[in-house]
């Protein structure tokens, strides 16, 4: 009967250690600071906070290899993604440091501050990746607007050119013929009236 009680004691001791470690590395981040719930930043930071580092690294690598709508997107974010992976490894090393309880309080605090610094830097780098993606999206929309404007202006220019050509070659010739005929009739009438 004492074996199950011993097993429960070990389980509760493990839970207490995990809670202490979690409290030690708690950075007090608000979930709203992690981004939109379906964004890359939210997923990566949530997995890092939940100590699922391999899943976070795998997601970053998949994001980098995924085809993009923008041709130069991957070349712009490769260094940021690689730096994010390095930061995740650094965070993992800080959180799973062996014998953390045997360190002095100053060393523990230094380790905790490094963890916070790496986490904030990871958060910033992922924001930069989102900003690059947003900038490329805006640039793509702007180029689309430029193309539509160019088509609109060229259509107006073609219509104005067609109108001008119609005026010069069609109406102007007809107007010259009508004016010449009217002038000839008036000249003939005046000549008859004067008696020529």
């Amino acid at each position: 009967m004492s074996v199950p009680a011993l097993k429960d004691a070990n389980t509760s001791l493990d839970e207490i250690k995990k809670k202490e470690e979690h409290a030690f590395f708690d950075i007090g981040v608000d979930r709203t600071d992690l981004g939109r719930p379906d964004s890359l930043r939210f997923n990566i930071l949530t997995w890092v906070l939940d100590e699922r580092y391999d899943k976070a690294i795998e997601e970053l690598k998949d994001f980098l290899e995924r085809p993009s709508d923008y041709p130069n997107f991957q070349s712009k974010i490769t260094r940021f993604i690689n730096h994010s992976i390095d930061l995740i490894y650094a965070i993992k090393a800080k959180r799973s440091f062996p014998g953390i309880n045997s360190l002095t309080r100053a060393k523990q605090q230094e380790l905790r501050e490094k963890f916070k610094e790496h986490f904030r830097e990871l958060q910033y780098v992922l924001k930069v990746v989102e900003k690059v993606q947003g900038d490329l999206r805006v640039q793509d929309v702007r180029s689309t607007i430029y193309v539509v404007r160019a088509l609109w202006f060229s259509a107006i220019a073609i219509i104005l050119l067609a109108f001008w050509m119609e005026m010069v070659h069609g109406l102007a010739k007809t107007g010259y013929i009508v004016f010449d005929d009217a002038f000839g009739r008036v000249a003939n009438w005046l000549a008859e009236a004067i008696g020529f």
Side-chain angles (χ1 to χ4, degrees):
M1 289 270 179
S2 64
V3 175
L6 186 60
K7 196 181 261 187
D8 290 339
N10 286 339
T11 305
S12 63
L13 187 61
D14 289 339
E15 288 177 14
I16 291 171
K17 283 183 180 179
K18 283 185 180 181
K19 287 181 182 178
E20 286 177 1
E21 185 179 307
H22 185 69
F24 181 75
F25 286 109
D26 185 31
I27 58 173
V29 70
D30 187 17
R31 291 284 183 181
T32 59
D33 293 339
L34 302 180
R36 289 187 341 257
D38 60 343
S39 68
L40 175 75
R41 179 172 41 135
F42 180 84
N43 291 339
I44 299 301
L45 295 176
T46 303
W47 287 326
V48 167
L49 288 175
D50 293 341
E51 299 181 41
R52 295 174 62 192
Y53 307 111
D54 294 334
K55 181 72 173 161
I57 291 169
E58 181 183 323
E59 176 69 22
L60 283 172
K61 287 180 180 178
D62 288 345
F63 181 76
L64 184 61
E65 293 170 1
R66 193 177 306 141
S68 175
D69 296 335
Y70 314 109
N72 57 352
F73 178 65
Q74 288 177 334
S75 64
K76 287 188 175 200
I77 65 162
T78 301
R79 63 187 169 124
F80 296 116
I81 297 297
N82 290 335
H83 185 61
S84 297
I85 291 171
D86 292 341
L87 287 170
I88 292 172
Y89 282 129
I91 290 170
K92 182 179 179 180
K94 302 291 184 283
R95 281 189 93 168
S96 61
F97 191 79
I100 195 166
N101 294 331
S102 63
L103 296 175
T104 63
R105 287 228 183 254
K107 288 292 183 183
Q108 287 180 356
Q109 185 64 26
E110 183 180 330
L111 196 62
R112 184 173 189 258
E113 290 302 318
K114 279 293 192 184
F115 167 75
K116 284 183 176 181
E117 181 181 324
H118 288 322
F119 188 81
R120 281 191 219 108
E121 188 175 353
L122 177 64
Q123 192 173 12
Y124 173 75
V125 168
L126 292 174
K127 282 182 183 179
V128 169
V129 169
E130 287 178 351
K131 184 182 180 315
V132 167
Q133 191 174 20
D135 289 347
L136 287 175
R137 186 176 297 124
V138 167
Q139 190 177 23
D140 184 51
V141 169
R142 283 185 183 155
S143 65
T144 304
I145 289 172
Y146 292 149
V147 168
V148 169
R149 267 193 196 155
L151 289 174
W152 175 250
F153 287 142
S154 59
I156 289 175
I158 289 171
I159 290 170
L160 289 176
L161 180 66
F163 181 73
W164 181 77
M165 288 182 71
E166 179 61 32
M167 290 296 289
V168 169
H169 296 293
L171 190 63
K173 284 185 177 180
T174 306
Y176 173 75
I177 293 171
V178 170
F179 179 74
D180 186 48
D181 183 52
F183 182 74
R185 287 186 182 182
V186 169
N188 286 341
W189 180 76
L190 281 174
E192 285 179 13
I194 296 179
F196 271 143

